[in-house]
Amino acid sequence: MTTASAPESTTVLDRLRRLFGGGPSDGRLGSTVSATRALELVADGATLLDVRETSEWRSGHAPRAMHLPLGQIEQATRRVKADRPVVVVCASGMRSRTAAKHLRGLGFEAASLSGGMPAWQRAGGEVRR
C-alpha cells in the first residue's frame, strides 16, 4: 500500500501554518492569512481585494480596499498589480478562498483573509460606510 505524501519542500511547520492561517516559513504568502497578518500585509503595501457584491461593499468596506465582485474576477489581470501580494476578503472567507485560488492560478501571490470582514474588524481593521 502506498500513501500520498506532501512534497519534500513542505515541512510539518508549513502545513501547520497553512492550517492556522500563517504563510510558509520561506516568507511566501500562504493560501489563507489571519486578519492580524492581513493588516500587516496591507500596511506593507499588499493589495486588499474585496470580492463581495456591490450591496455588501456599500454596507461597509476597508478604506484601502479595491472592489471587484467574485463574478468579475477575470478583470483582476487588468486592475490588480501583479508585483505585490493580494489579500482577498469577503463576508466570511468562502468567496475569498475561491478568488485567491483563481488569482494564484493566474500567477498572483494571493491569500484569503480567514474569517472575512468580521475578522478584519475584530483585528482592528478600519471600515468605512
Side-chain angles (χ1 to χ4, degrees):
M1 180 172 115
T2 61
T3 57
S5 61
E8 288 180 35
S9 63
T10 303
T11 67
V12 172
L13 185 57
D14 288 334
R15 289 190 298 249
L16 287 171
R17 281 190 176 112
R18 280 195 303 272
L19 180 64
F20 292 105
S25 59
D26 65 1
R28 291 178 296 130
L29 196 57
S31 61
T32 62
V33 293
S34 68
T36 302
R37 179 71 178 127
L39 285 166
E40 294 168 357
L41 289 163
V42 171
D44 288 341
T47 299
L48 181 61
L49 181 64
D50 190 325
V51 296
R52 297 176 300 153
E53 294 300 317
T54 300
S55 61
E56 295 170 290
W57 167 264
R58 289 182 181 145
S59 71
H61 58 274
R64 294 176 51 192
M66 175 185 293
H67 183 228
L68 184 65
L70 180 60
Q72 299 172 18
I73 198 67
E74 292 298 326
Q75 295 178 18
T77 56
R78 293 191 305 269
R79 297 192 49 205
V80 179
K81 293 182 180 181
D83 63 344
R84 65 176 67 170
V86 180
V87 175
V88 187
V89 66
C90 67
S92 67
M94 299 292 288
R95 288 173 284 181
S96 61
R97 281 194 296 274
T98 300
K101 182 177 181 180
H102 184 77
L103 291 172
R104 286 191 305 275
L106 295 173
F108 288 87
E109 184 181 9
S112 168
L113 193 160
S114 183
M117 285 301 292
W120 172 265
Q121 287 183 279
R122 283 191 305 273
E126 188 180 346
V127 173
R128 180 178 299 151
R129 299 198 192 305

